[in-house]
Amino acid sequence: MLTEASMNELEKKTGYSFQNKELLKQAFTHSSFVNEQRINRLPDYERLEFLGDAVLEVTVSDFLFRRFPDVKEGELTKRRASIVCGSSLARIMEEFGFGEYIQMGKGEDTTGGRHKENILSDVMEAVIGAVYLDGGFDQAVALIHRLILDDFEDKRLFYDSKTLLQEYVQREKGAVLEYVLVDEYGPDHSREFVIEARVNGRPMGKGMGRTKKSAEQQAAYEALLAAGEK
């Protein structure tokens, strides 16, 4: 349950103080929690997520457009996708420890809901939507810059890990990069995938994630670090 104290902690972590605390509470309320409430049913985060997704996309688009004036549309689109994708948003949520604040049903909680990429990324977008409604567009943009676009050059290695690894591999003529599923475990509703990034059959990095895509991104990131591409 979100208490006054925990909401104060969230405001400190996000750097934004809500006028309407109910919006903050809604942003961290999963539908499974709502379904368990027989009285005083709360709204879940899904409508806020819809709104936050749009604000995030236009903010990141504007940032990239201004930051890289000589980059063509196709490349800008790829870079935006790498920043706003589920694995990137989930990683930021975990860095700030936001998962522990999510109100969710017991069943969802026991099956690892607080670490599921789709839930974490959805909540991140919902928080953006909540700030937009509470404080306006400028406040939402400032939040995105604080949490997602701050230290962009450092984070870019993770955001663009698959593209950067491909470019690194292409320096060696004829080199082949592949992502190989080496393990998977857990029940069907909460699978974990382990993937290796291999160059010419040699393991370069290993990643784990709730989806194969996020595991590949983590594997590429680890491969770049191992190669000294910082």
Side-chain angles (χ1 to χ4, degrees), residues 31-47:
S31 58
S32 62
F33 181 83
V34 174
N35 294 334
E36 286 187 359
Q37 305 302 301
R38 297 185 179 180
I39 57 174
N40 298 325
R41 287 175 65 88
L42 299 169
D44 61 41
Y45 61 63
E46 291 176 5
R47 283 174 55 84

Side-chain angles (χ1 to χ4, degrees), residues 108-215:
E108 186 66 59
D109 197 4
T110 56
T111 55
R114 296 182 190 282
H115 302 286
K116 289 181 180 177
E117 179 182 298
N118 62 319
I119 293 177
L120 290 172
S121 61
D122 288 351
V123 171
M124 183 77 263
E125 291 174 341
V127 171
I128 295 168
V131 171
Y132 172 78
L133 288 178
D134 191 71
F137 184 72
D138 288 347
Q139 289 291 348
V141 169
L143 177 82
I144 292 167
H145 277 263
R146 280 196 302 276
L147 301 186
I148 299 172
L149 297 175
D150 182 50
D151 297 325
F152 176 75
E153 290 305 324
D154 290 336
K155 292 176 179 175
R156 186 183 170 195
L157 187 64
F158 181 79
Y159 289 149
D160 295 342
S161 56
K162 293 182 71 175
T163 299
L164 292 172
L165 182 60
Q166 184 65 49
E167 292 174 354
Y168 171 79
V169 171
Q170 287 174 345
R171 297 177 194 170
E172 182 182 339
K173 189 175 181 180
V176 177
L177 168 65
E178 59 182 341
Y179 294 94
V180 180
L181 178 67
V182 295
D183 197 8
E184 57 181 293
Y185 56 91
D188 290 341
H189 60 265
S190 185
R191 279 322 250 178
E192 285 278 2
F193 300 95
V194 181
I195 286 179
E196 282 185 349
R198 298 179 181 176
V199 178
N200 295 333
R202 180 169 63 90
M204 291 281 291
K206 182 181 289 186
M208 184 173 67
R210 299 280 180 173
T211 66
K212 291 179 181 178
K213 183 178 179 180
S214 65

Side-chain angles (χ1 to χ4, degrees), residues 60 64 71-85 159-160 163 167 213 217:
V60 173
L64 293 174
V71 174
K72 294 186 179 298
E73 180 269 342
E75 181 60 28
L76 288 174
T77 299
K78 289 180 183 178
R79 292 186 184 186
R80 180 182 64 197
S82 69
I83 294 172
V84 305
C85 72
Y159 289 149
D160 295 342
T163 299
E167 292 174 354
K213 183 178 179 180
Q217 186 173 15

Side-chain angles (χ1 to χ4, degrees), residues 61-72:
S61 297
D62 179 77
F63 171 80
L64 293 174
F65 183 86
R66 297 175 189 277
R67 184 71 173 264
F68 303 103
D70 300 322
V71 174
K72 294 186 179 298

